[in-house]
Amino acid sequence: MFDRRSFGKIMGASAAGASLAGMPTASVAASDRETSSPPSAAKSGHTTFGPLKQIRAGELSVGYAEAGPAHGPVVILLHGWPHDIHSFVDVAPLLAARGYRVIVPYLRGHGTTRFLSGKTFRNAQQSVIALDIIALMDALKIEKAVLAGFDWGSRTADIIAALWPERCKALVSVTGYLITNRERNKSPLPPQAEWAWWYQYYFSTERGLLGLQANAHDLAKLIWKFNSPTWDFDDATFDRTAAAFDNPDYVSIVIHNYRWRLGLAEGDPRYDRLENRLAAGPVIGVPTVTLDGERDPFTPAGDGSSYRDKFSGPYAHRTLKNIGHNVPQEAPEAFAEAVVEADGLGHR
């Protein structure tokens, strides 16, 4: 899921202060101060986005949900793995009610998103996934948007904010700065951190590939439980997302993504220049709110301090108490407020 940057030991961050859900629509002052989410994850109020849309964008036909007024300011919400657009099923209507046009795409290899050609390399290196979103924005004639995501979605949003800041009005990034440096990924982490990454190493083997093919549903459910230990999701909630794993390219994309990060699979040489820029760790200058789930096993120690120097623009950080990895689905109100806050930081 995340770049294996050195973050010390896995631990939950402490939380203090006021709830994001209690914030007004207007932005609070940009700061590094820490606040907490409500102590328990909100119960889902929505189960569907309604009819999905489909559009040709780059080398894909992208499936996406849309909510809110057609001419409102645009927010693009980006999911992670093993998740899908339903991570935002409660966030989208909250933002739509505030006047945003909300776009929630399936990433390549998920849901109704399909490759236009059977001959296209099923590539999942980080720059290509970001280019998918740029292509989607071009297809939808969206010049600039607030980008918000977690896991693969955070990395994708971070990359766009770093390399194409003119397309990113503001950023919400769960777990902070997730741009991958493959050379740094060769260095080991502390044992507890390595243990949390078990599936990354599993996928590096032929056995792992076969295991994902045979057990995609059960493997994802196990990861949900480990990564979100306080989230009491039901089978129906999981099954709505698991349907997205039936995509014919799901296994190829997931396996390539994790193997590429470890240097075990090659990317496309056409994107070497972009990857070299990303490996240098470019600083992000757009207005940003970073979020950490206190109970997320991948949350860096230090309440955001480990990646603070990667954000040079207006900035705020929040640690969400008792929340795990799937922040938007576990704490939709807090996530939606972070989007509004990040958007407001740009006007200060």
Side-chain angles (χ1 to χ4, degrees), residues 81-95:
W81 183 88
H83 300 277
D84 82 328
I85 63 174
H86 289 89
S87 289
F88 302 103
V89 74
D90 290 312
V91 174
L94 292 172
L95 292 173

Side-chain angles (χ1 to χ4, degrees), residues 98-115:
R98 298 208 186 190
Y100 288 98
R101 179 189 179 192
V102 184
I103 306 293
V104 193
Y106 280 112
L107 299 185
R108 57 172 54 199
H110 294 75
T112 60
T113 292
R114 296 289 189 275
F115 285 87

Side-chain angles (χ1 to χ4, degrees), residues 251-337:
V251 171
S252 296
I253 290 300
V254 172
I255 293 295
H256 186 263
N257 180 278
Y258 287 104
R259 291 184 180 182
W260 177 85
R261 287 194 228 173
L262 291 176
L264 302 175
E266 294 301 318
D268 189 323
R270 292 179 298 167
Y271 308 114
D272 285 352
R273 187 174 175 184
L274 290 178
E275 294 296 349
N276 288 336
R277 292 176 63 190
L278 294 172
V283 172
I284 293 172
V286 306
T288 298
V289 174
T290 56
L291 299 174
D292 286 341
E294 182 196 34
R295 299 297 301 276
D296 183 349
F298 302 101
T299 292
D303 304 335
S305 62
S306 65
Y307 50 72
R308 176 63 184 92
D309 63 351
K310 289 299 187 181
F311 300 96
S312 63
Y315 179 84
H317 173 77
R318 305 283 178 257
T319 295
L320 306 182
K321 188 176 182 181
N322 292 327
I323 298 300
H325 183 67
N326 186 1
V327 169
Q329 202 161 3
E330 295 179 61
E333 293 90 352
F335 193 91
E337 288 295 345

